[in-house]
Amino acid sequence: MVTLRVRADRDVCIGAGMCVLTAEEVFDQDDEGVVVVLMPEPGAGRAEAVGRAVAACPSGALSLEGDQPPVR
Amino acid sequence: MSEAPVLPLHMRRDGFDPVPELSALREGEGVRRVTTPLGLEAWLVTRFADVREVLGDSERFSNVLHRAVRVPGMEGYTEEELARLRAGNMLACDPPEHTRLRRMLTPEFTVRRMRALEPRVRRIVADHLDAMERGGPPADLVSAFALPVPSLVICELLGVPHTDRGDFQRRTSRMLDLSLSFQERTQAQRESREYMAGLVARAAADPGDDLLGMLVREHGDDLSADELAGIGSLLLLAGHETTANMLALGTLALLRHPVQMALLRKEPERIEAAVEELLRWLSIVHSGAFKVTTTDVEIAGVRIPEGEAVVCVLPAANRDPGLVPDPDRLDITRGGLGHVAFGHGVHHCLGAPLARMELRIAFPALLERFPGLRETGRAPEFRSFHIVYGLNSLEVAW
């Protein structure tokens, strides 16, 4: 089984905070509001929430590698 | 203007719903070129996936409308005057200029900062409910609650004296009212900037802990006085016009859907999903900023040439069966974040975390305070010609 990995492009992030609202254990914002990935390999149990966070991200800063959970 | 103003197609509604013509457009060709009553030719984009594509692509769909499109009424202004009116307006620029301005503001709107503001917002909400209760029924929910709560919140956040609210609420309302001429709206915009320039000058002399003080202190060397006035003016407008109308229209929507309201009263932990569903279903911002194509593009199989105006019809997109099943039904149990009520892409609403927080506090507090909340016999007044949809008045009793 492929491990689910989350990537965040901090140059693209606009600090909307949707990922934090969707999957708080996995994402945070630094003092500038820019995304920080707390858990780069969030595990299958969080795959659904992480998938929603990636789909909801307004700037397209988030991406997934590995097993793709359903979006939205 | 002597002729009665005509409402642009993308702003037409039947109460809460986009008019059937907009739904038919979405289910049919998806994209159509129209002449707006403002005299501007524009392409309406109505499907959820297409709207996301347009809003998510700031390279092909620019927010710098004036570069390619002449808005009727603009002829009377010099380029210098128009540039001053645009300075600091994040909605009128693209990256990297947009990125520069937005990055200065994002630290003020993080999820953590919003949580720190929650106790103060709860206090403001409770104070207004107290006053409403003391006054007794009937009350106009718009002037007693929906408008003053977000207005006071954004005033405190920015550092704007709330005692000035009568004047700036009148001005921001005029800036957004498309039944007025371009000249009248521009005049209101100019007055708003002059007012904000005065506050910026005061903040420069003695910067406080508020947002204007922070901008002066930390970015005073990078921002012109015009940009500071523009940022403040946009945030003041966006901070209360939008949340105020979500509160008023959202309350009416719940009152008109008693099963949904009863469910929310019984299970208040549903509030987060309920707020998202109300945002989706009401889509009070009809379109957001118009876009202009920077190259020939194709949307929904329709070719749009370079240099043409594009309007994303948010209520139509949020009622797309491609987003949720049975989209015209209000169902607070679904409530995903995937809608485009706050837009999408780099211009996604900066204040969305603030709006969400205010709505998540204000709706339950209102329902809890007045278990018998109801409409009186007086019909609520919808405001059709505003760039932000909503209610002018909503008389309630309890």
Side-chain angles (χ1 to χ4, degrees), chain B residues 67-193:
Chain B
R67 203 178 288 150
V69 178
R70 302 304 297 177
V71 177
M74 266 169 57
E75 307 82 23
Y77 299 86
T78 66
E79 195 43 53
E80 192 193 343
E81 277 178 304
L82 292 170
R84 280 197 73 185
L85 286 168
R86 280 192 302 264
N89 181 353
M90 282 174 289
L91 290 173
C93 58
D94 296 328
E97 178 54 19
H98 169 265
T99 318
R100 168 182 161 261
L101 295 172
R102 177 142 184 160
R103 285 262 157 138
M104 295 177 190
L105 295 165
T106 43
E108 305 299 311
F109 291 90
T110 60
V111 173
R112 198 174 295 116
R113 290 293 282 274
M114 293 304 111
R115 288 200 180 128
L117 278 179
E118 276 183 25
R120 179 62 192 141
V121 171
R122 284 186 201 284
R123 183 73 258 154
I124 290 170
V125 164
D127 288 347
H128 284 82
L129 292 173
D130 289 346
M132 231 175 108
E133 198 174 0
R134 273 198 308 274
D140 173 26
L141 191 81
V142 173
S143 54
F145 186 69
L147 184 57
V149 166
S151 177
L152 182 52
V153 171
I154 195 68
C155 279
E156 291 192 358
L157 194 71
L158 278 178
V160 171
H162 198 234
T163 42
D164 294 347
R165 65 186 175 278
D167 287 336
F168 69 66
Q169 282 169 359
R170 230 183 339 271
R171 276 193 300 266
T172 52
S173 185
R174 287 175 69 79
M175 284 161 70
L176 298 179
D177 185 350
L178 291 185
S179 69
L180 301 177
S181 68
F182 182 86
Q183 286 78 8
E184 289 171 299
R185 281 183 282 127
T186 304
Q187 181 55 28
Q189 196 181 343
R190 191 177 284 143
E191 288 168 14
S192 172
R193 279 176 171 264

Side-chain angles (χ1 to χ4, degrees), chain A residues 20-43:
Chain A
V20 186
L21 290 173
T22 310
E24 199 169 10
E25 297 165 320
V26 182
F27 302 102
D28 198 359
Q29 289 168 286
D30 65 14
D31 288 343
E32 300 301 307
V34 178
V35 63
V36 177
V37 180
L38 301 175
M39 224 185 264
E41 294 181 7

